[in-house]
Amino acid sequence: MKLSNTVKKEINALIEIGDTILQKASRADSSFESSDLAEVSSWVTRLGQLLRKLYGENSQHYANFDRAISTEGFYIIHSSWYGHISQVQGIALAVKHDVENDLIGSIKGLLQAEIFANFLEIGEHLLSEGYKDAAAVTIGAVLEDGLRELCKKNNIAITKPNGSPLTIEPLNAELAKNEVYSKLTQKQITSWAHIRNKAAHGQYNEYDKSQVEMMLLFVQGFAEQHLA
C-alpha cells in the first residue's frame, strides 16, 4: 500500500504544529487561551482523524492517543503542565516513522491476515462439529474477501461501473487476467466458488463434507501464499 502524498504532507504538518505547541507550552507562564487553545484543538482533531484512517480505532496507536487526550485537564497547558501534549506528539512521531518506512501497508496486511485466519478457524470448527453447510459458506466468504483484498493490493477494480460490488467469479477472472496468479489457480477458485454458492442457495446435497474439507485446505494455502 503506497500512501498518498496528501497523507505524508499531513503527518509532517502535524509534527510541525506539535513542535510549535510544545515550544509555546514550555515558555507559557499561564494556561493557553484563545488562539493557542484553538490550535491545540485543531491539531488533536486532525491527528485523531488520521489515526482512524490509517490504523482504525482498535489499534494500539489510537488507544494511546485516546488515553492521552483523556488526561484530566488536557486543555490546561502551561510550562508546568504539558507532558500529556508530549505524549500526543510522540504518537504523531510514531506515525511519521511508520509512514517513512512504508510500514502502514504491512501493518494492515498483518491485521487482515489475522482476520482471515480467525474466520478460517471458525469454518474449521463448524466442519469438525458436522456443520458442513455453514462451514462452506464461511470459508467461501473468506475466499471472496481475500480476492477483494488482493484486487485492492494490485489496483484492480472491485466494483462494477454502477458502483455495485463484483462477486467472486469476476474478481477471480480479473486477478488471473492481470497475472496475479495462474490460470490453474483461477480454475480451482471457480470450483470452490461453486460449492460456496450451492451452500448459500440451500443445495446441500450437491456436495459432501470431504469436498468442504478440501476447500478449507485450499483457502488456507491460498491465504498463506497471497494474503500473509
Side-chain angles (χ1 to χ4, degrees), residues 14 40-50 52 65 75:
L14 289 171
V40 174
S41 179
S42 173
W43 176 63
V44 167
T45 300
R46 286 168 60 183
L47 180 57
Q49 290 174 337
L50 187 63
R52 277 191 291 270
F65 171 78
Y75 286 99

Side-chain angles (χ1 to χ4, degrees), residues 2 10 50 57 76 93 95-96 99 106 134 157 168 198 219:
K2 292 294 184 182
E10 177 68 356
L50 187 63
E57 294 188 12
I76 300 173
L93 288 169
V95 176
K96 181 179 174 67
V99 168
S106 297
I168 193 166
K198 290 179 186 301
V219 176

Side-chain angles (χ1 to χ4, degrees), residues 102-163:
D102 294 323
L103 295 177
I104 304 294
S106 297
I107 292 168
K108 287 194 170 185
L110 288 170
L111 290 173
Q112 193 65 55
E114 184 177 348
I115 291 168
F116 288 151
N118 289 340
F119 275 98
L120 284 176
E121 285 181 9
I122 292 172
E124 187 172 12
H125 175 72
L126 289 169
L127 197 53
S128 68
E129 293 295 314
Y131 301 106
K132 73 174 179 67
D133 307 313
V137 172
T138 301
I139 297 165
V142 173
L143 179 58
E144 183 168 352
D145 285 344
L147 296 184
R148 192 165 284 112
E149 289 301 319
L150 207 49
C151 283
K152 290 179 186 177
K153 184 178 177 181
N154 289 277
N155 297 314
I156 298 171
I158 59 173
T159 59
K160 300 176 184 178
N162 64 6

Side-chain angles (χ1 to χ4, degrees), residues 194-210:
H194 283 324
I195 290 180
R196 181 268 183 98
N197 290 336
K198 290 179 186 301
H201 291 91
Q203 300 171 341
Y204 306 132
N205 294 325
E206 297 193 22
Y207 61 93
D208 57 31
K209 181 181 177 181
S210 65

